[in-house]
């Protein structure tokens, strides 16, 4: 590997971000732009019986007020779960039906943002409400019809396995509604010029957005521009098309001027997705030596009345530990909310809060060290698919974090460690994230000594993609990182997949890598045909590109930059591709159509996951029950580290978010009205500086030649996965109390 990979390169977009010159979607002001605002429903279920817009229309500055009655040429798209690009399959403002609180009922266009919002507040709606249920009833759960084979796994005989166990547990964990709260609000600016449409919008998938909009309006994709160079946090919330975008596009068309909508913070809770509440049921059994004899996990996740949203957490938990008898079921239950969806990490956060506490509970019953319990049940084959892991550094992670944390200093008995008035507990948990692979292209143009342009329709959702793509090109082409300009976030660029499921570095990065190798081959061809030069006359198939240097079989060499400069054109442009063998034509086609053609994490040959282990020290005050996390350590292995700085930050950020999930975050619900109550960042609690003490991340070396040519696994979501369970296990160790519901609050300990 060349020097620019696996080093700590500072983000190339940092100067633009800290000087305010990075242009986000809501920074754009097309000439003549007007402002939009949404009015939303106060009730969750029922019918609009009247919608009086008189007062809104009379408000100074208001240009137009649109309702279900008078919004011309408003188009909707199919929900993702129904094979479309939308975040939900029920669309507001198509009629008078209300299916969730906060559902858009009117769209106001005005000369200023303030006038638009005042107008929205002056919409007078009357409703006929019906009974609403915010929470699902787990007793009413179901398996999605027709998908039973995918949603239910049975291996061996679970009852038999439980009857053979020396110890067993039968426990249930619950997790609440949670919302992403990215710093950057959802925003869309739409401008029509005749039949050509430009949309500026923060997006995790510009091609999905473009494809969905173009299809809805029956336009060729070339008539729709989607621009999203910077995204101020997304975490899954900006992955699909949501109503606010299509309403803004329709409004802009109707008023004949560009319109920009910035969603309000409270509306952020209802116009896009969120993490649904869930129930995680575990029945585990183990023999006296600790080997699992039975593994059962049933997940019940909330979904809306109109979508079957499945993020199959059981597909991940069942891959963790060896057991001869396995039973998993992925179930849904409905309630009256908008449709939930991805929230980093979309199912691993909730399911591992259950799984990794269940493992701790059983280890405790067996009187085994929780780390040793995991070691006994570690496996080099996927327990259900029965294929080997492409690489699996779970126990290496535990060993590394045990050492850095000082795991062996603990005394095992709960409540046995104290520090003055504080009860002290240690807890550990496994982290994992599947390695999902998607087809990608990337265009690289190299201009002699002038540097390189890397262009692809990928995204930097705040994770560092601009930097790592520049690093990959710099390493391959032999250029300084600063000479590699990365252009992304435009749907017109070569296809790249959704930035979701921790896929961008591995999949799009591999396409950048491939483009650079192609440049090497093409330039080798040209210089070998020249009459002079160090590589003149050498069979080009014998020339290799090695860290920016073309090398012949007999030790001849020439820097690629020089070789290119010696060619007549002095520049070259190629398209690189990533096509993992596990990607079928159908999956590749889906990605090219703007969809989610993901292969993995299990292929016919290998199971692909990144692993890690986290350890938390928790202090619980003996009298006030205040909970503190003075130390949180994690060790992770995810193949090649492209950038030690941005990767470290991703893992650290995940762990901080994990502390939030464990102790702070919950979207409170007004039960009788089925409304999200604390829809603002004052009352939706997230960790602050005082909540974060010592955090340590260890990045282990791991080689994986199967996942992709770079050997990279995704890390965007890995850091959060084990944190909540590690903290819950530490709380148990400190207090002897087993808290099976998130978030863990001091009131739970009274
Ligand atoms: Mo991530 S929740 O897949 O955007």
């Amino acid at each position: 590997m060349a020097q620019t990979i696996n080093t700590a390169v500072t983000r190339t977009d940092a100067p633009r971000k800290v000087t305010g010159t990075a242009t986000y979607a809501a920074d754009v002001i097309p000439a003549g732009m007007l402002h939009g605002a949404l009015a939303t429903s106060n009730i969750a279920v029922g019918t609009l019986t009247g919608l009086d817009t008189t007062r809104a229309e009379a408000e100074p500055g208001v240009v137009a007020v649109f309702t279900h009655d008078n919004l011309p040429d408003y188009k909707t798209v199919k929900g993702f779960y129904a094979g479309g690009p939308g975040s939900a399959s029920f669309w507001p403002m198509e009629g008078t039906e209300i299916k969730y609180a906060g559902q858009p009922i009117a769209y106001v266009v005005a000369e200023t943002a303030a006038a638009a919002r005042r107008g929205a507040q002056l919409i007078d709606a009357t409703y006929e409400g019906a009974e609403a249920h915010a929470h699902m009833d787990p007793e009413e759960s179901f398996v999605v019809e027709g998908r039973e084979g995918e949603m239910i796994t049975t291996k061996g005989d679970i009852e038999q396995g439980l009857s053979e166990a020396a110890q067993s547990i039968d426990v249930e964990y619950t997790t609440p509604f949670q919302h992403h709260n990215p710093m950057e609000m959802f925003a869309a600016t739409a401008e029509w010029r005749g039949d050509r449409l430009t949309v500026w919008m923060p997006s995790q998938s510009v091609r999905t957005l473009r494809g969905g909009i173009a299809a809805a309006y029956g336009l060729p994709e070339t008539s729709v521009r989607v621009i999203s160079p910077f995204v101020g946090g997304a975490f899954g919330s900006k992955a699909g098309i949501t109503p606010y975008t299509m309403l803004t596009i329709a409004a802009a068309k109707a008023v004949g001027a560009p319109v920009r909508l910035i969603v309000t913070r409270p509306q952020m809770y209802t116009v896009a997705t969120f993490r649904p509440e869930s129930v995680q049921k575990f029945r585990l059994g183990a023999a006296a030596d600790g080997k699992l004899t039975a593994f059962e996990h049933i997940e019940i996740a909330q979904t809306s009345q109109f979508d079957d949203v499945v993020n199959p957490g059981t597909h991940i938990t069942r891959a963790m530990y060896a057991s001869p008898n396995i039973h998993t079921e992925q179930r849904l239950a409905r309630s009256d909310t908008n449709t939930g969806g991805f929230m980093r990490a979309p199912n691993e956060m909730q399911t591992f809060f259950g799984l990794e506490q269940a493992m701790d509970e059983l280890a405790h019953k067996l009187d085994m060290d929780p780390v040793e319990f995991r070691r006994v049940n570690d496996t080099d084959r996927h327990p259900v698919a029965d294929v080997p892991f492409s690489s699996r550094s779970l126990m290496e992670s535990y060993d590394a974090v045990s050492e850095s944390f000082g795991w062996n200093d603990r005394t095992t008995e709960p409540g046995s460690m104290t520090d003055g008035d504080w009860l002290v507990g240690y807890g550990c948990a496994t982290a994992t994230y599947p390695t999902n692979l998607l087809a990608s292209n990337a265009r690289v143009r190299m201009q002699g000594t002038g540097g390189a342009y890397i262009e692809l329709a990928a995204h930097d959702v705040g994770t560092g993609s601009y930097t790592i793509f520049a690093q990959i090109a710099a390493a391959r082409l032999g250029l300084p990182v600063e000479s590699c300009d990365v252009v992304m976030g435009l749907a017109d660029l070569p296809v790249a997949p959704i930035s979701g499921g921790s896929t961008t570095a591995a999949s799009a990065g591999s396409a950048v890598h491939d483009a650079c190798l192609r440049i090497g081959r093409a330039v080798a061809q040209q210089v070998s045909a020249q009459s002079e030069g160090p590589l003149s006359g050498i069979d080009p198939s014998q020339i290799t590109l090695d860290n920016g240097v073309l090398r012949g079989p007999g030790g001849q060499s020439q820097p690629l930059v020089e070789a290119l400069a010696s060619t007549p054109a002095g520049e070259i442009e190629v398209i690189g591709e990533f096509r993992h063998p596990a990607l079928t034509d159908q999956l590749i086609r889906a990605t090219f159509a703007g969809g989610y053609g993901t292969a993995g994490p299990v292929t016919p040959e290998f199971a692909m996951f990144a692993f890690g282990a986290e350890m938390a020290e928790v202090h619980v005050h003996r009298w006030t029950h205040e909970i503190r996390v003075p130390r949180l350590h994690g060790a992770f292995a995810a193949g090649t580290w492209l950038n030690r700085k941005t990767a470290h930050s991703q893992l650290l950020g995940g762990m901080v978010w994990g502390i939030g999930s464990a102790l702070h975050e919950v979207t409170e619900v007004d039960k009788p009205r089925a409304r999200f109550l604390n829809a603002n960042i004052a009352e939706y609690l997230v960790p602050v500086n005082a909540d974060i003490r010592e955090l340590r991340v260890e990045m282990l070396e791991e080689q994986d030649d199967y996942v992709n040519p770079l050997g990279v696994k995704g890390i965007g979501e890995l850091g959060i996965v084990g944190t909540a369970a590690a903290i819950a296990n530490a709380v148990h160790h400190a207090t002897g109390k087993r808290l099976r519901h998130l978030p863990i609050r001091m009131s739970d300990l009274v």
Side-chain angles (χ1 to χ4, degrees):
M1 285 282 167
Q3 216 180 343
T4 53
I5 287 179
N6 199 6
T7 56
V9 176
T10 296
R11 302 167 62 114
T12 56
D13 52 342
R16 275 179 289 174
K17 286 195 168 172
V18 297
T19 56
T21 52
T23 310
Y24 290 81
D27 293 331
V28 174
I29 309 174
M33 185 184 81
L34 298 172
H35 299 261
L38 293 171
T40 59
S41 167
N42 287 330
I43 67 159
V45 185
T47 312
L48 267 177
T49 51
L51 201 49
D52 185 348
T53 59
T54 323
R55 289 198 305 146
E57 278 157 3
E59 176 66 22
V62 168
V63 172
V65 180
F66 297 112
T67 68
H68 61 91
D69 251 353
N70 69 337
L71 183 53
D73 215 15
Y74 165 48
K75 308 283 191 203
T76 65
V77 298
K78 262 201 308 186
F80 167 42
Y81 299 97
S87 65
S89 54
F90 170 74
W91 283 69
M93 289 181 58
E94 285 208 291
T96 55
E97 206 176 357
I98 302 293
K99 295 200 177 196
Y100 56 91
Q103 176 184 321
I105 54 169
Y107 193 104
V108 178
V109 180
E111 284 159 11
T112 65
R117 287 196 183 176
R118 277 198 304 275
Q121 280 163 8
L122 293 172
I123 302 282
D124 295 306
T126 52
Y127 308 91
E128 196 175 288
E131 206 187 341
H133 300 276
H135 292 292
M136 64 174 175
D137 178 357
E139 300 298 314
E140 301 280 301
S141 74
F142 60 94
V143 173
V144 179
E145 219 181 290
R147 292 178 69 186
E148 292 83 358
E150 193 191 335
M151 297 301 157
I152 301 172
T153 311
T154 307
K155 174 183 145 184
D157 181 340
I158 193 81
E159 303 302 337
Q160 175 79 23
L162 284 166
S163 70
E164 286 164 13
Q167 293 290 349
S168 63
I169 54 155
D170 180 352
V171 279
E172 201 172 294
Y173 307 88
T174 56
T175 67
F177 290 110
Q178 296 177 326
H179 279 76
H180 317 77
N181 284 295
M183 258 199 279
E184 179 199 31
M185 302 294 189
F186 303 137
T189 307
E191 179 181 40
W192 288 92
R193 288 191 189 175
D195 267 350
R196 289 183 61 79
L197 171 65
T198 303
V199 177
W200 292 264
M201 185 182 132
S203 173
Q204 292 173 251
S205 190
V206 287
R207 290 189 54 110
T208 304
L209 195 52
R210 183 181 72 172
I213 294 167
Y217 278 94
L219 295 169
E221 292 206 350
T222 46
S223 294
V224 180
R225 297 204 72 206
V226 168
I227 303 175
S228 176
F230 293 99
V231 180
F235 319 119
S237 68
K238 292 166 181 165
I241 306 181
T242 62
Y244 78 88
T245 302
M246 299 309 281
L247 288 168
T248 302
I249 292 169
K253 197 168 194 198
V255 297
V259 173
R260 172 213 285 169
L261 171 73
I262 302 175
V263 167
T264 67
R265 182 60 69 176
Q267 290 169 352
M268 297 284 287
Y269 285 69
T270 60
V271 306
T273 65
F274 54 88
R275 192 198 301 288
E277 62 183 357
S278 80
V279 178
Q280 312 290 338
K281 297 174 186 238
F282 283 91
R283 286 196 300 164
L284 304 182
D289 63 1
K291 280 207 182 340
L292 287 169
T293 58
F295 180 101
E296 181 179 72
H297 177 199
I298 298 170
E299 174 175 29
I300 305 170
Q302 184 267 356
T303 191
S304 66
Q305 298 291 359
F306 40 91
D307 282 312
D308 293 341
V309 176
V310 189
N311 285 315
T314 52
H315 289 196
I316 311 300
T317 54
R318 72 187 186 193
M320 290 301 108
Y321 304 112
S323 173
N325 304 297
I326 295 176
H327 177 234
T328 66
E329 270 181 45
Q330 192 65 43
R331 307 182 70 85
L332 294 176
R334 298 191 191 282
S335 68
D336 298 311
T337 67
N338 56 321
T339 300
F342 308 132
M343 179 163 152
R344 186 188 294 187
N347 56 62
E348 293 78 7
M349 203 298 291
Q350 347 27 335
T351 50
F352 275 62
F353 174 67
L355 171 66
E356 290 302 302
Q357 268 207 88
M359 290 295 283
D360 202 72
E361 296 204 37
L362 189 50
H364 192 69
K365 271 196 157 180
L366 289 160
D367 205 14
M368 262 184 99
D369 180 290
V371 174
E372 290 316 303
F373 183 46
R374 279 146 178 110
R375 195 184 311 277
V376 165
N377 290 294
D378 191 26
T379 173
D380 56 11
R381 293 184 81 78
H382 188 291
V384 176
D386 199 28
V387 292
F389 287 91
S390 59
S391 55
R392 174 171 163 127
S393 306
L394 175 62
M395 293 322 299
E396 289 83 347
S397 300
Y398 268 109
D399 290 342
V401 73
S402 293
E403 186 166 335
S404 101
F405 186 83
W407 179 255
N408 293 329
D409 299 344
R410 72 172 207 147
T411 54
T412 53
E413 197 53 35
S416 63
M417 286 162 53
T418 56
D419 178 3
D421 274 339
W422 296 88
L423 302 170
V424 175
Y426 286 6
C428 68
T430 295
T432 194
Y433 198 78
T435 304
N436 300 307
L437 302 172
L438 290 118
S440 184
N441 285 359
R443 181 165 58 225
V444 176
R445 179 152 50 98
M446 186 179 180
Q447 295 183 309
T449 52
Y453 290 93
I454 297 94
E455 297 174 304
L456 66 170
H459 324 80
D460 192 325
V461 293
T463 44
S465 314
Y466 277 115
T467 313
I468 56 170
F469 294 153
Q471 285 177 263
I472 293 166
R476 296 289 100 82
L477 303 176
L479 292 167
V481 173
E482 312 80 74
S483 301
C484 297
D485 278 341
V486 180
V487 182
M488 291 194 289
L490 298 166
D492 321 318
L493 297 176
V495 70
I498 178 177
S499 282
S502 296
T503 55
T504 293
S507 293
S510 294
V512 174
H513 163 87
D514 180 63
C516 297
L517 298 188
R518 283 171 197 250
I519 286 179
R521 287 199 291 274
V523 174
Q525 194 108 41
Q526 291 191 50
V527 291
S528 68
Q530 286 172 354
S531 55
E532 51 188 77
L535 297 166
S536 167
I538 296 173
D539 174 1
S541 70
Q542 299 296 305
I543 299 174
T544 55
L545 177 63
D546 169 24
N547 298 330
V549 178
L550 291 173
R551 291 189 195 283
Q556 313 90 326
S557 73
Q558 187 176 27
L560 179 66
V561 173
E562 270 177 33
L564 180 59
S566 77
T567 64
E571 67 170 63
I572 184 168
E573 182 178 299
V574 301
I575 299 277
E577 291 183 352
F578 174 56
R579 305 284 187 272
H580 191 276
L583 287 164
T584 61
D585 289 351
Q586 195 188 356
L587 292 171
I588 295 167
R589 215 170 286 129
T591 296
F592 270 70
Y596 309 88
T598 310
V602 179
T603 75
E605 289 173 279
F606 288 104
M608 307 173 290
F609 291 81
F611 286 93
E614 295 186 32
M615 289 186 171
E617 177 177 337
V618 160
H619 287 192
V620 179
H621 198 272
R622 191 185 295 279
W623 309 115
T624 67
H625 308 288
E626 180 183 346
I627 306 166
R628 290 277 158 194
V629 183
R631 292 196 302 145
L632 181 65
H633 289 198
F636 304 93
T640 305
W641 304 108
L642 290 169
N643 184 329
R644 298 196 74 85
K645 202 178 221 174
T646 55
H648 187 264
S649 294
Q650 284 301 297
L651 295 165
L652 214 60
M655 288 163 67
V656 170
W657 199 350
I659 292 175
S661 257
L663 301 177
H664 307 108
E665 275 186 81
V666 52
T667 311
E668 304 285 358
V669 170
D670 175 3
K671 268 191 219 164
R673 292 180 185 82
R675 288 198 291 214
F676 294 135
L677 281 173
N678 52 338
N680 59 76
I681 48 178
E683 293 169 297
Y684 185 94
L685 302 184
V686 297
V688 297
N689 284 335
D691 295 307
I692 307 301
R693 310 303 290 182
E694 180 183 297
L695 281 187
R696 201 177 292 176
V697 169
E698 269 201 69
M699 295 155 64
L700 306 185
E701 297 308 318
E702 180 179 75
Q703 189 179 338
D704 192 318
D705 298 327
Y706 179 73
V707 286
N708 50 64
L710 291 165
V712 169
K713 299 175 179 176
I715 49 161
E717 333 219 16
L718 181 60
I720 192 175
V721 176
T723 310
I727 290 171
N729 292 338
V731 168
H732 174 259
H733 185 228
T735 64
K737 289 207 170 107
R738 190 50 83 173
L739 300 178
R740 301 191 181 95
H741 177 68
L742 285 179
I744 297 166
R745 290 272 166 84
M746 48 202 281
S747 50
D748 299 325
L749 290 165
V750 174

